[in-house]
Amino acid sequence: MTDAEKLPYHVPVLLKESVDGLNIHEGGIYVDVTFGGGGHSREILSRLNGTGHLYSFDQDADAAKRVFGGSALGDSNGEPDNFTFVLSNFRYLKNWMRYYGVDHIDGLLADLGVSSHQFDVGGRGFSFRFDDAPLDMRMNSSAGKTAADVLNSYDEERLANVFYLYGELRNSRRLASAIVKARQKKALATSSDLISAVSPLVKREREKKDMARLFQSLRIEVNQEMTALREMLLAATELLAADGRLSVITYHSLEDRIVKNVIRSGNTEGKISQDLYGRVDTPFRAVNNKVITPDADEQERNPRSRSAKLRIAVKI
């Protein structure tokens, strides 16, 4: 057994708070668009009766193996009758709900970002902790371009934009220039190749933070995470029934801004429209005006939770 296999597949963040935020009624229809290790889904299922149903999405085949092997939900017989797993990117939420004949849902939960498992498996390339990890970073390992494809094919300006927009790296242009020069000698294939190319530009006291942002920016670009999030949230806005709940956990400002905009204005850009009486025209009402964050105990138990923010809204 490898060290990665000994670790928990995924530790759910803000488990009670996020599921409580759905205000579940036991016969309702709910969606967990980020199944991961199944922690949030298990908790939702525990609050449903035989007439309720949960649809859970994940595009990672590793998550699917745990579902169909029974380990994710603790049921050796596979999927419970009131549970459906969808192996797909959550951006296709509306299409899949139509496929299953679902017109409205009573709540949707999203725990965004990367699962613990994806970070801990060196072969996936999500973390700079593994020296010779392939520069992959695809959440769906069978589709799309890899981080290596991005690094070796994007021109300097496009690379700089990725690093600035998705990593908020102020030296994005210098980083892009260093990568273009390095790949002229040899294509970048591993995390070590990337780190070697940019390390002269990274100050030692900021090394971990800046490397994390660099890898984050590549991961977001590879998986088109911001586009997928926008599409999912707009689909959720259409699908949620009156009094339905949206419960979303974010981990960086880019995600959080989009979620906040949708709750505040009903659109991902945050464009405010008002009715004749000057009231903001939005399909949502924020349940928690101040974001919910993990307490000190959870942050100590689960370092991944330290940047987490939970926003909950009700469809009006």
Side-chain angles (χ1 to χ4, degrees):
M1 182 179 288
T2 65
D3 289 341
E5 289 172 331
K6 295 175 184 176
L7 294 168
Y9 186 93
H10 179 71
V11 180
V13 173
L14 290 164
L15 177 60
K16 184 177 185 302
E17 295 88 344
S18 60
V19 178
D20 283 352
L22 292 174
N23 193 32
I24 290 175
H25 55 90
E26 57 185 14
I29 298 175
Y30 295 88
V31 179
D32 176 358
V33 293
T34 49
F35 182 82
H40 290 102
S41 285
R42 277 195 302 273
E43 183 61 27
I44 294 170
L45 281 169
S46 73
R47 305 187 190 194
L48 298 178
N49 64 18
T51 62
H53 202 95
L54 172 66
Y55 295 87
S56 290
F57 284 67
D58 206 298
Q59 61 182 319
D60 192 335
D62 286 351
K65 290 174 186 175
R66 287 175 51 79
V67 175
F68 299 119
S71 60
L73 298 175
D75 183 355
S76 59
N77 296 318
E79 295 185 48
D81 291 340
N82 61 344
F83 173 77
T84 300
F85 180 79
V86 183
L87 180 59
S88 175
N89 189 309
F90 60 43
R91 70 192 302 174
Y92 304 117
L93 168 67
K94 188 175 180 180
N95 292 345
W96 280 104
M97 291 298 95
R98 185 184 300 121
Y99 174 80
Y100 285 111
V102 176
D103 296 322
H104 294 94
I105 60 176
D106 296 295
L108 181 143
L109 184 146
D111 179 8
L112 303 175
V114 183
S115 75
S116 309
H117 171 74
Q118 289 167 330
F119 269 129
D120 291 333
V121 176
R124 302 296 296 273
F126 286 102
S127 174
F128 59 89
R129 293 184 287 121
F130 303 97
D131 291 339
D132 293 313
L135 288 166
D136 192 315
M137 301 194 193
R138 291 173 298 172
M139 291 182 179
N140 178 353
S141 298
S142 63
K145 61 194 171 191
T146 66
D149 294 330
V150 170
L151 289 165
N152 291 301
S153 66
Y154 282 21
D155 63 32
E156 188 172 319
E157 182 178 4
R158 192 174 180 188
L159 278 176
N161 287 339
V162 167
F163 301 152
Y164 182 76
L165 291 173
Y166 299 149
E168 300 176 298
L169 289 159
R170 294 183 179 179
N171 61 343
S172 59
R173 295 192 179 280
R174 293 175 64 202
L175 291 169
S177 177
I179 287 168
V180 170
K181 289 177 182 176
R183 77 189 189 194
Q184 290 171 351
K185 299 176 182 177
K186 184 187 76 167
L188 305 183
T190 68
S191 53
S192 294
D193 294 337
L194 175 57
I195 292 168
S196 295
V198 302
S199 57
L201 301 176
V202 179
K203 295 180 179 179
R204 180 169 294 182
E205 65 271 18
R206 292 184 53 85
E207 183 176 14
K208 287 187 177 180
K209 188 170 185 177
D210 285 354
M211 284 299 180
R213 287 185 171 186
L214 178 63
F215 273 62
Q216 171 188 289
S217 67
L218 285 168
R219 188 201 82 221
I220 291 173
E221 175 66 14
V222 165
N223 296 287
Q224 293 295 292
E225 292 179 33
M226 297 302 104
T227 300
L229 176 60
R230 292 185 185 98
E231 292 178 7
M232 182 274 288
L233 288 171
L234 292 178
T237 301
E238 290 185 42
L239 285 165
L240 280 166
D243 294 325
R245 294 288 188 101
L246 185 68
S247 181
V248 185
I249 304 167
T250 64
Y251 294 89
H252 57 75
S253 59
L254 301 174
E255 296 171 334
D256 189 58
R257 188 178 304 121
I258 292 172
V259 175
K260 183 179 179 180
N261 283 345
V262 168
I263 293 173
R264 182 168 175 256
S265 65
N267 60 73
T268 58
E269 297 80 20
K271 295 178 181 176
I272 298 294
S273 61
Q274 296 178 323
D275 62 18
L276 294 173
Y277 302 99
R279 295 173 298 197
V280 175
D281 186 16
T282 175
F284 291 106
R285 174 178 58 80
V287 173
N288 57 319
N289 291 317
K290 184 178 180 182
V291 293
I292 298 170
T293 58
D295 61 24
D297 287 342
E298 180 170 4
Q299 292 185 42
E300 182 65 28
R301 293 192 313 270
N302 184 7
R304 177 177 177 267
S305 72
R306 290 173 185 167
S307 59
K309 295 179 179 179
L310 170 62
R311 293 186 185 274
I312 303 166
V314 60
K315 183 81 174 287
I316 54 178

